[in-house]
Amino acid sequence: MPYVLEKISLYENDTVKETNFVVKNDLFVSRDTSVNHIGFIRLQMDKYIIIAGETMIGNLAEYQENRIEYTTKIVLLGATTVLFPVDVTYEHQIKQALIDARKLLSEFPLDYVLVLRIPLSILRPSIVRFCRKHWIPGLIICVHDLEELQRIPITWIRDAVFPYKLVFIPHFLDWQEDQLLAWKQVFHDSNLAYVDDNIFAYEHLSKKLLKMLGIYPHRGILRTGGEVTYNVVHDDNQPCLLNRQAAYSDKIEFTVFKNQVIRAGSQISLPSKKGKELVIKIPGFFQ
């Protein structure tokens, strides 16, 4: 059923502005335009703020252990899309590990993106070429010590990745500031896309990282032609949003995923249909 979200405040780019959305066929068909002459059902939302659904770092092992409980936790944290790292120890394990991950997630009710997480010791051009060929947008590198970082064949890696802008993400197993500095030094002049800090499970991905990985504009923005997926909070909680001064997940009034309400306050009703894997063909296109 088509409807209008009228006079709702939109949180976007660290600002809040009043706007209107028109929803039809489970898509946003219009935003930021007058709705005076539209005869659809109207939802008066002048006391609320709408936010694009979050994308969060996931954990396949936790999902496998208790699927419903884990997914409920994700929704309560405001996420509707999950970035799942797939762990491999040796290069020959990659294909099967991805097959197993997709099989495990075949009934996952939210959307997801797969990236690889590998030890630095097996980082080589062949793995980079695999990611490029199979549209894996991110490679999380587990770093143990500084000596490993100095041995990265950065020139070969750069040649192998072109033209796919694969994102290199560090995971410091024994975090020290000098490791982060060494990581930045290795990648700074490489012309490769890289993240300069750890990312953690249950962490919301920043818009910058969403753009780097190519998840934006599929996620992270409420756009004309986009899916109707968003969070809503009362406008009293605006300070939690601006510059992310505090977490806002416990302030969410309701969450809509593909035009279906899946959260109302603390009550969760998981989507009736399974989600989908987002295939990222062009990372970094909107940077």
Side-chain angles (χ1 to χ4, degrees):
M1 182 188 305
Y3 62 92
V4 173
L5 296 174
E6 189 174 17
K7 295 183 179 180
I8 190 168
S9 295
L10 169 66
Y11 171 75
E12 193 173 71
N13 299 323
D14 290 331
T15 61
V16 176
K17 68 172 184 178
E18 186 179 281
T19 189
N20 306 303
F21 288 91
V22 180
V23 175
K24 186 178 181 180
N25 298 326
D26 296 339
L27 298 175
F28 289 115
V29 296
S30 174
R31 57 165 279 186
D32 302 332
T33 57
S34 173
V35 293
N36 292 337
H37 302 292
I38 295 178
F40 297 163
I41 291 174
R42 295 168 182 266
L43 302 179
Q44 295 291 335
M45 305 289 289
D46 57 309
K47 297 296 184 181
Y48 294 94
I49 302 173
I50 189 172
I51 313 109
E54 301 286 353
T55 299
M56 184 171 288
I57 305 296
N59 186 302
L60 281 172
E62 289 187 27
Y63 171 67
Q64 185 174 26
E65 183 177 341
N66 193 319
R67 301 184 184 192
I68 294 177
E69 182 179 312
Y70 180 80
T71 308
T72 298
K73 182 176 181 179
I74 290 293
V75 173
L76 285 171
L77 290 171
T80 52
T81 304
V82 183
L83 183 78
F84 280 112
V86 178
D87 290 298
V88 294
T89 305
Y90 302 102
E91 184 174 355
H92 71 268
Q93 298 174 332
I94 292 176
K95 288 184 179 180
Q96 189 59 51
L98 288 170
I99 290 172
D100 293 343
R102 290 186 172 111
K103 182 178 180 180
L104 175 62
L105 294 168
S106 62
E107 299 300 323
F108 187 59
L110 305 176
D111 291 343
Y112 64 93
V113 179
L114 296 180
V115 296
L116 290 177
R117 184 161 54 200
I118 65 172
L120 179 56
S121 59
I122 70 167
L123 176 60
R124 53 182 67 101
S126 56
I127 291 181
V128 171
R129 285 192 291 268
F130 179 92
C131 292
R132 184 188 69 195
K133 181 178 179 181
H134 295 276
W135 296 324
I136 303 296
L139 197 54
I140 300 176
I141 311 297
C142 299
V143 180
H144 288 272
D145 56 53
L146 293 177
E147 290 185 5
E148 281 189 321
L149 280 170
Q150 303 305 322
R151 294 195 294 268
I152 295 179
I154 201 70
T155 301
W156 291 355
I157 297 297
R158 184 177 60 239
D159 293 342
V161 76
F162 184 82
Y164 193 74
K165 297 185 72 173
L166 177 68
V167 181
F168 295 84
I169 304 169
H171 178 67
F172 299 106
L173 301 177
D174 181 24
W175 190 91
Q176 296 178 19
E177 189 171 346
D178 55 351
Q179 288 182 339
L180 178 59
L181 179 61
W183 171 271
K184 292 179 181 179
Q185 289 174 338
V186 168
F187 281 93
H188 182 265
D189 297 320
S190 67
N191 202 32
L192 293 171
Y194 71 98
V195 176
D196 57 8
D197 204 353
N198 265 347
I199 59 175
F200 302 95
Y202 301 112
E203 180 179 343
H204 291 173
L205 270 62
S206 66
K207 182 171 284 189
K208 177 182 177 181
L209 185 50
L210 291 176
K211 289 182 176 181
M212 290 177 69
L213 290 166
I215 298 173
Y216 179 98
H218 305 288
R219 299 294 180 269
I221 185 174
L222 303 179
R223 61 184 177 87
T224 300
E227 293 179 343
V228 182
T229 297
Y230 56 86
N231 293 314
V232 171
V233 301
H234 197 275
D235 61 5
D236 290 343
N237 295 305
Q238 180 171 314
C240 293
L241 297 174
L242 296 176
N243 300 315
R244 294 302 171 96
Q245 297 175 10
Y248 79 93
S249 57
D250 62 335
K251 308 295 192 303
I252 294 174
E253 299 284 339
F254 58 92
T255 297
V256 173
F257 177 65
K258 299 183 179 180
N259 211 21
Q260 176 185 347
V261 177
I262 62 172
R263 173 183 178 178
S266 61
Q267 300 300 309
I268 302 296
S269 178
L270 294 179
S272 54
K273 298 179 181 179
K274 64 181 180 180
K276 65 181 180 182
E277 179 181 359
L278 302 183
V279 178
I280 309 300
K281 295 185 179 181
I282 309 178
F285 185 77
F286 283 88
Q287 278 189 276

